């Protein structure tokens, strides 16, 4: 199977988590193929950020994405300064005077892998999203990714031995110009704040291009603008000129794309409110969506790949947007995938007309759980279940969203997630106690919980049947809304 070049965005923790100092976003892209991202399909693990535990939060959630759709995946935002600083520390620890990490075989990459690592297996078509406002640090971050990519390939092909395995195989780089978090766009002066400095954005993307030696496509994630120059209220916003707003967005895109490096923009069709104490959640809901700006952008810049983001919460919604504007290259779906992943199991066929995908796609959700259980069992043989179990359970927690007794299934998963810690506490309290018999594998526990709490219809319903049910429910909701 080949990866499709559109956007599906699964967000596990989201922008709100940035406020807490830890974030894990999973983004993949659904839409017409743009010819850039089509490597061979591979099973994979995922990335992590900020702390080791976050690795397992995204690893298992992204595994589920690949079980359901062949789409491009984009990582959470990683701060370029963090990579640049860890790179400097790694180089300074080496005895040899080297400027490239590839020149040494004995450095410890573990600190850098906290930001760049992708688990034991290749993630396939994936984009690393970077945040920052310093071109030098951005170039060093891109250089590090490029070096790690090459070292990963050499290790994989058996041509190079390094003390520590390096699993890093990114397809492209993305500059975040859309995050409205006060810690990012406020104190950090990057994210959505960069919408106000297109010349700086061009320098940053040029730095990414130089750092990767031009070997990786550079893309930009942005909004349609910000509240620069006025105090945002709904009334004040509605009274402002939409044409002026679009022209500002157009100038931003023209400036960033002027040197030919960036040809792809993922555009959230809302402004970012930066001059008020808005949370990321407020910035996803309060500013109104203006899809027509993104449509117009795609139509006026046919040489660019424009992807629409914001407010798309279903597969039929994604299809509708692509049909509404044929110039769009794809759509980006956010929390909808994470909250109801099964609802997107037909994406390959619905969005791409890929009838061959059904040969590799799970026939029902019990097959998803069986495959995931086998994967989870293998992971627990390598990693400590005390640290990883809860993240693995979280990856399948929303697989049955909307089904009868789905909440009971989630409660059962929560109990399964806590078992390793419970057993560890019992052992610490009574270290001389005789060890219990071998506990059940996580795969057995998950399948038992599913068959106990969920109906056969929910477990064995096919993706086609589930999608038809969703369409029927959406049609009923539309008719009901008209009557009201």
């Amino acid at each position: 199977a080949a990866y499709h070049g559109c956007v599906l965005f699964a967000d596990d923790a989201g922008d709100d988590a940035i406020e807490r100092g830890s974030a894990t976003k999973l983004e993949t892209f659904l839409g017409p193929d743009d010819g850039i991202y089509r490597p061979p399909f591979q099973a994979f693990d995922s990335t992590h950020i900020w702390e080791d535990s976050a690795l397992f939060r995204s690893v298992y959630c992204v595994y589920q994405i690949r079980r359901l759709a062949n789409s491009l995946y984009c990582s959470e935002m990683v701060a370029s300064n963090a990579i640049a600083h860890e790179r400097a520390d790694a180089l300074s620890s080496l005895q040899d005077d080297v400027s490239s990490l590839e020149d040494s075989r004995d450095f410890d990459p573990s600190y850098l892998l906290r930001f760049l690592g992708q688990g034991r297996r290749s993630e396939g078509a994936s984009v690393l999203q970077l945040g920052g406002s310093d071109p030098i640090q951005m170039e060093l971050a891109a250089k590090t990714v490029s070096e790690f990519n090459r070292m990963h390939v050499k290790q994989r092909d058996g041509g190079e031995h390094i003390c520590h395995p390096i699993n890093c195989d990114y397809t492209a780089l993305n500059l975040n110009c859309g995050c409205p978090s006060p810690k990012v766009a406020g104190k950090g002066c990057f994210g959505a704040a960069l919408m106000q400095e297109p010349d700086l954005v061009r320098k940053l993307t040029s730095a990414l291009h130089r750092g990767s030696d031009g070997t990786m496509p550079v893309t930009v994630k942005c909004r349609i603008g910000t509240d620069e120059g006025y105090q945002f209220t709904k009334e004040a916003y509605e009274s402002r000129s939409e044409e002026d707003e679009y022209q500002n967005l157009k100038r931003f895109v023209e400036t960033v794309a002027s040197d030919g490096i960036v040809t792809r923009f993922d555009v959230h069709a809302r402004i970012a409110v930066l001059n008020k104490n808005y949370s990321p959640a407020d910035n996803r809901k309060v500013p109104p969506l203006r899809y027509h700006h993104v449509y117009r952008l795609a139509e006026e810049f046919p040489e660019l790949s424009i992807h629409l983001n914001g407010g798309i919460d279903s597969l039929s919604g994604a299809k509708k947007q692509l049909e509404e504007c044929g110039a769009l290259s794809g759509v980006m779906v956010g929390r909808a995938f994470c909250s109801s992943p099964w609802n997107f199991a037909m994406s390959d066929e619905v969005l791409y007309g890929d009838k061959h995908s059904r040969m590799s796609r799970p026939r029902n959700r019990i097959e998803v759980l069986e495959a995931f259980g086998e994967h989870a069992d293998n992971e627990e043989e390598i990693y400590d279940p005390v640290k990883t179990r809860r993240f693995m359970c979280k990856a399948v927690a929303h697989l049955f969203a909307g089904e009868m007794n789905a909440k009971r299934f989630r409660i059962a998963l929560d109990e399964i997630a806590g078992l390793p810690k419970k057993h560890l506490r019992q052992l610490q309290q009574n270290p001389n106690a005789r060890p219990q018999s071998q506990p059940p594998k996580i795969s057995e526990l998950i399948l038992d919980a599913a068959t106990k709490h969920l109906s056969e219809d929910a477990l064995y319903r096919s993706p086609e049947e589930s999608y038809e049910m969703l369409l029927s429910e959406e049609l009923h909701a539309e008719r009901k809304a008209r009557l009201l």
Side-chain angles (χ1 to χ4, degrees), residues 397-416:
H398 298 287
L399 186 61
F400 296 92
E403 301 288 351
M404 186 178 295
N405 293 331
K407 185 175 181 180
R408 292 183 181 180
F409 176 63
R410 292 196 301 271
I411 292 172
L413 286 177
D414 193 57
E415 293 173 355
I416 294 169

Side-chain angles (χ1 to χ4, degrees), residues 339-340 343 365 397-407 410 454 458 461 469-470 473:
S339 61
S340 303
N343 291 350
R365 280 176 280 194
H398 298 287
L399 186 61
F400 296 92
E403 301 288 351
M404 186 178 295
N405 293 331
K407 185 175 181 180
R410 292 196 301 271
L454 299 162
R461 190 188 313 129
M469 284 183 62
L470 282 172
E473 291 170 3

Side-chain angles (χ1 to χ4, degrees), residues 220-410:
V220 168
K221 170 86 180 289
C222 65
R223 295 242 175 175
I224 61 171
T226 71
D227 61 340
E228 182 182 19
Y230 71 103
Q231 190 68 24
F232 177 87
T233 64
K234 286 187 176 181
E235 294 75 16
Y237 183 61
E238 293 295 337
S239 67
R240 293 178 66 83
S241 168
E242 289 195 31
E243 180 61 25
D244 289 347
E245 182 177 68
Y246 174 74
Q247 291 301 326
N248 287 334
L249 172 62
K250 182 178 178 179
R251 279 191 291 272
F252 174 84
V253 170
E254 286 176 331
T255 302
V256 175
S258 61
D259 56 7
I261 292 174
V262 177
T263 60
R264 175 178 180 142
F265 292 82
D266 307 315
V267 188
H268 188 142
R270 291 184 175 93
I271 68 162
V273 179
L274 306 181
N275 295 323
K276 298 180 72 171
N277 192 25
Y278 269 22
S279 69
D282 292 332
N283 260 298
R284 289 193 303 271
K285 299 173 183 177
V286 178
L289 287 161
R290 289 183 171 173
Y291 290 141
H292 52 282
H293 285 341
V294 188
Y295 296 163
R296 186 175 170 186
L297 201 65
E299 290 165 353
E300 294 186 8
F301 293 90
E303 72 279 12
L304 300 178
S305 178
I306 305 296
H307 291 69
L308 176 67
N309 175 226
I312 304 169
D313 57 7
S314 67
L315 183 55
S316 61
K319 184 173 183 288
K320 179 180 178 181
Q321 293 300 329
L322 291 171
E323 292 173 344
E324 186 75 19
C325 179
L328 285 174
S329 297
V331 295
M332 176 179 283
V333 181
R335 285 155 181 76
F337 188 97
C338 190
S339 61
S340 303
W342 185 247
N343 291 350
F344 291 85
M346 286 284 291
S347 60
D348 290 349
E349 285 147 289
V350 172
L351 298 182
Y352 314 112
D354 185 356
K355 297 180 180 179
H356 299 291
S357 65
R358 69 178 62 186
M359 299 173 62
S360 58
R361 188 194 61 217
R363 292 176 295 179
N364 48 56
R365 280 176 280 194
I366 198 73
E367 286 193 2
V368 174
L369 290 180
E370 289 171 347
F372 183 79
E374 181 180 351
H375 175 70
D377 288 342
N378 292 334
E379 293 295 296
E380 289 204 342
E381 291 179 3
I382 299 170
Y383 301 113
D384 184 358
V386 172
K387 296 180 179 179
T388 64
R389 174 71 66 87
R390 189 163 298 280
F391 299 117
M392 282 191 277
C393 289
K394 187 174 182 179
V396 293
H398 298 287
L399 186 61
F400 296 92
E403 301 288 351
M404 186 178 295
N405 293 331
K407 185 175 181 180
R408 292 183 181 180
F409 176 63
R410 292 196 301 271

